[in-house]
Amino acid sequence: MNDLAGSMSAAQSDLAIFVQQALAYGKQQFERCPPSEKVDVQVGETSFRLAESQNDLRSSVDLCLWSGAASEIETPPFSVYVDYTSWHLRSGFRAPHHHQKDLLELNKALAQIGVKAIYSPEEQRWDIFDPVAGFGVRLQCGTERSPVWEKTAPLVHFCNWIALENGKTMLHAASIGTCNSGVLLVGDGGAGKSGTTLGALIEGLQSAGDDYTLITNGPDFRAHAIHMSVKQDPSGLERLGLSAEASLNWQGKAVFRPETQIGHAISTSVPVNALVMPETGAAKARYYPIAAGQVFKTLTFSSLKQLGSDHKAVFQTCAELVRSLPCYKLELSKHNQENVSVLTDILESVT
């Protein structure tokens, strides 16, 4: 740390020291937390243990992630502590970094000591992760300062960082498959990923998630589940013949576990043999090959927009996917069985 601080500006050196203090504080508070108040969260093929200074995220974690009571037999390799006490403000630290350029410089400096961090100036919230120690801490000014998406995509940066340590890259994509073949659905929000995924589950296909997925690099690509819930707006639920009783999120979408409505849960993983870009509004469902560059651009930039970090891993994984796998456009009609039939044709063609 001293050698690193010597090569930094005074502001960057202060930040590096603060991060070290924040991690030490978080570890101390995590150890003080009773075991009954901790929860184990599965992230692909690894897991982390979560504790909070007050119980705010537990219901969201239980709904959206693969979680359960903390094990008394096996301790996960990673831990995360969420602190809502404004400790980082009361400690006298004032964040001088309010511009993207400064944040990028900060991340570059922290990378030299192997620490990952995301700072949100508007909420004065920090997510900090030390991969070597296997520990992360969130510092937040009260529960009311949580971003609106946190309730349906909790702790996404920590899930991403922990997945990377387990050899997986988190991407903004859905997955649909069978035991023998599968595809990634690629597109920005509103492209039809969630509706197509839910419709495929209704017709008996599998999915490892409708929004985020963890990718194991090739040659045998697989998509691993991170979220066990799915999202869909009321009109989409009505089109699929499903109930809209679940409470709506900030996007006006119902968030629920698919097994509660259709009897099919999210699968732990599915193969990935092709990349598919869905597009709604067609009179009749069909698919056809498209340029790999178009898929690469959409998948890469939608993932970076959602996650905001680890650009190198995202670019490398997306590049490997489009170099290795066929790419298709899937034009979706209003008829779910027709859409799933075309999707099944794709799955059979890439087996």
Side-chain angles (χ1 to χ4, degrees):
M1 175 69 73
N2 290 334
D3 291 341
L4 176 69
S7 65
M8 292 180 176
S9 67
Q12 288 174 320
S13 178
D14 288 345
L15 283 166
I17 293 169
F18 165 72
V19 166
Q20 188 178 45
Q21 293 172 342
L23 288 166
Y25 168 80
K27 289 178 184 177
Q28 180 185 63
Q29 297 304 310
F30 181 88
E31 294 302 325
R32 290 178 176 176
C33 188
S36 61
E37 295 181 11
K38 296 177 180 178
V39 59
D40 289 349
V41 181
Q42 195 74 17
V43 182
E45 296 173 312
T46 189
S47 61
F48 68 90
R49 182 157 291 173
L50 171 68
E52 302 177 82
S53 64
Q54 67 183 83
N55 191 349
D56 183 62
L57 284 177
R58 179 61 186 270
S59 61
S60 300
V61 167
D62 288 343
L63 170 64
C64 300
L65 301 178
W66 185 1
S67 65
S71 172
E72 297 181 1
I73 301 173
E74 184 176 357
T75 301
F78 303 97
S79 301
V80 175
Y81 182 73
V82 181
D83 181 78
Y84 302 106
T85 68
S86 304
W87 168 85
H88 56 307
L89 300 185
R90 296 200 317 274
S91 68
F93 175 77
R94 290 191 308 112
H97 290 270
H98 294 284
H99 303 291
Q100 186 63 27
K101 178 182 177 182
D102 295 316
L103 290 175
L104 291 172
E105 290 175 355
L106 167 63
N107 287 334
K108 182 178 179 180
L110 293 174
Q112 296 178 50
I113 55 172
V115 176
K116 298 178 182 292
I118 292 288
Y119 175 60
S120 301
E122 295 81 4
E123 296 89 13
Q124 294 181 300
R125 185 183 68 254
W126 282 90
D127 283 354
I128 303 170
F129 180 65
D130 180 354
V132 175
F135 184 80
V137 62
R138 169 174 289 179
L139 304 175
Q140 185 170 308
C141 304
T143 59
E144 68 280 358
R145 299 297 291 272
S146 297
V148 291
W149 58 84
E150 186 70 27
K151 295 298 183 183
T152 52
L155 303 169
V156 65
H157 293 303
F158 292 109
C159 291
N160 180 30
W161 293 328
I162 288 168
L164 284 169
E165 292 303 303
N166 189 237
K168 297 175 179 62
T169 304
M170 184 183 292
L171 298 179
H172 180 223
S175 61
I176 296 173
T178 65
C179 294
N180 300 317
S181 65
V183 301
L184 279 187
L185 297 184
V186 176
D188 295 321
K193 298 189 301 297
S194 293
T196 305
T197 301
L198 190 53
L201 286 170
I202 290 172
E203 295 299 323
L205 295 177
Q206 301 172 12
S207 173
D210 74 329
D211 192 29
Y212 293 113
T213 191
L214 308 177
I215 299 297
T216 300
N217 289 342
D220 297 320
F221 297 97
R222 290 196 72 86
H224 299 261
I226 178 62
H227 287 162
M228 306 303 288
S229 57
V230 293
K231 303 190 296 295
Q232 189 56 228
D233 57 52
S235 62
L237 291 173
E238 183 179 0
R239 178 177 58 82
L240 294 169
L242 299 177
S243 168
E245 294 180 358
S247 59
L248 303 183
N249 71 356
W250 63 284
Q251 296 173 307
K253 295 182 178 181
V255 182
F256 60 96
R257 295 268 184 141
E259 61 267 33
T260 63
Q261 291 219 39
I262 61 176
H264 300 299
I266 294 296
S267 299
T268 55
S269 71
V270 298
V272 177
N273 305 96
L275 305 174
V276 174
M277 286 186 62
E279 184 177 89
T280 59
K284 184 176 178 61
R286 64 172 186 147
Y287 80 98
Y288 50 88
I290 57 173
Q294 182 180 354
V295 177
F296 174 78
K297 181 178 179 180
T298 300
L299 179 58
T300 301
F301 288 101
S302 66
S303 296
L304 291 176
K305 180 180 178 181
Q306 294 284 331
L307 299 172
S309 65
D310 295 293
H311 294 61
K312 182 178 179 180
V314 170
F315 272 102
Q316 287 180 338
T317 300
C318 292
E320 187 174 358
L321 283 166
V322 300
R323 280 198 304 263
S324 306
L325 303 178
C327 299
Y328 300 103
K329 171 65 71 70
L330 170 60
E331 295 185 350
L332 300 166
S333 74
K334 295 181 179 180
H335 307 291
N336 184 59
Q337 289 184 336
E338 181 181 294
N339 294 333
V340 175
S341 176
V342 173
L343 190 54
T344 301
D345 289 343
I346 299 176
L347 293 171
E348 292 176 351
S349 73
V350 299
T351 300

